[in-house]
Amino acid sequence: MEFFDTLNDFIRTLREPAFYLICAVFSVVLYVVFQKKDELGRNAIQNTAATFIVHVMNMVASLFFHAEINGIAQRTYQSLNIPTLPANFWSGSAVWIGFLLVILGRDFCDYFLHRTMHTRWGWPAHAAHHTDTHVNGFTTFRVHFLETTAMQITYLFLLTWMQLPQLIPILALLRLIHNFYVHLDLDWTHGRFKYLIASPAFHRWHHADVPEAQGKNLATMVPLFDVVFGTYYDPGPCRAPMGARASGLSDKNPILIWIYPFQQWVRLLRGVAKKIARRLDARRTASQLALPPGE
């Protein structure tokens, strides 16, 4: 395990500002080498600024609430008494098998959590990520605090039993790098390996603001899950507009982006309350009509 300990020490020295710098460098590369002139355009700059502010708001929220949420999740997990593998189960070369299983296990969790977030009640927490109308490396960081919290709790409940805590920082770094990669505006498909590892072409359709692509290509790293569960979509290179303009969501106002989940859930709850009130009124009216005359 010394290799993993050394690697984890290195990973802990990395900070997200370094990835912002990497994103900026790749935007220049796409602009110069791949002739993606939109990369340094007005829309890209405005969306990047909004993403940065949303990210800062997430960090502020994390300072106030993350410890409490994590504590509740930990206590709940412990109360369930979920059995775990022996601590030495992955000793020796078996740790590499465990590493592959953790990648598949986490992506399996990601797929179904992501699918849930494309439902009526899950969408508000996930919508922030789809508001970016210029999808690029920076889009990786446009994720609402509520979505991040839901993902962390899911991993806690479904992966902790595997007893591989030393792999968590490494997996987190790999996921961040891959997440950045698939948001780049490139037509790369990975050819014969396209079902094994997600490509920019695969994920770009997920962000396309067209009805036929909604709720498609949900896997984070392994598109095979989309193939198996019927959500794979690959009509060719994506030239569709990005974002969620059809839903009326703001792409450049970080305040509106961040408060959207709370606003939308209030609207949904009001709708449910009105439906319940109408049903109660209908039952009351029906019971009154059923009474004999004079009663």
Side-chain angles (χ1 to χ4, degrees), residues 109-230:
C109 297
D110 274 343
Y111 174 84
F112 282 100
L113 180 60
H114 198 176
R115 190 162 183 164
T116 300
M117 289 195 172
H118 277 266
T119 62
R120 185 184 181 192
W121 287 90
W123 172 251
H126 182 56
H129 187 60
H130 282 268
T131 57
D132 202 335
T133 55
H134 181 79
V135 175
N136 63 4
F138 291 104
T139 309
T140 305
F141 299 98
R142 192 182 287 211
V143 181
H144 200 281
F145 170 73
L146 295 173
E147 178 178 349
T148 303
T149 300
M151 293 170 67
Q152 290 176 343
I153 291 175
T154 302
Y155 302 147
L156 172 67
F157 277 76
L158 296 181
L159 297 179
T160 303
W161 65 274
M162 295 184 73
Q163 288 280 36
L164 284 168
Q166 70 275 18
L167 297 181
I168 293 176
I170 301 171
L171 183 61
L173 177 62
L174 288 177
R175 187 178 182 278
L176 180 60
I177 293 172
H178 180 264
N179 208 348
F180 153 76
Y181 165 68
V182 296
H183 285 100
L184 296 177
D185 185 8
L186 295 169
D187 292 332
W188 297 350
T189 63
H190 297 170
R192 67 182 66 182
F193 301 106
K194 66 180 183 178
Y195 298 129
L196 297 180
I197 183 166
S199 66
F202 165 84
H203 195 69
R204 199 152 192 84
W205 275 113
H206 178 70
H207 281 270
D209 194 12
V210 291
E212 58 269 25
Q214 292 177 3
K216 302 296 184 181
N217 295 0
L218 299 168
T220 301
M221 297 184 72
V222 186
L224 186 61
F225 290 124
D226 283 289
V227 176
V228 172
F229 297 109

Side-chain angles (χ1 to χ4, degrees), residues 27-48:
S27 289
V28 174
V29 171
L30 288 172
Y31 181 88
V32 175
V33 179
F34 294 91
Q35 298 298 300
K36 302 288 184 178
K37 299 304 181 182
D38 291 341
E39 281 295 311
L40 301 181
R42 182 184 182 88
N43 187 52
I45 294 172
Q46 290 177 333
N47 270 276
T48 299

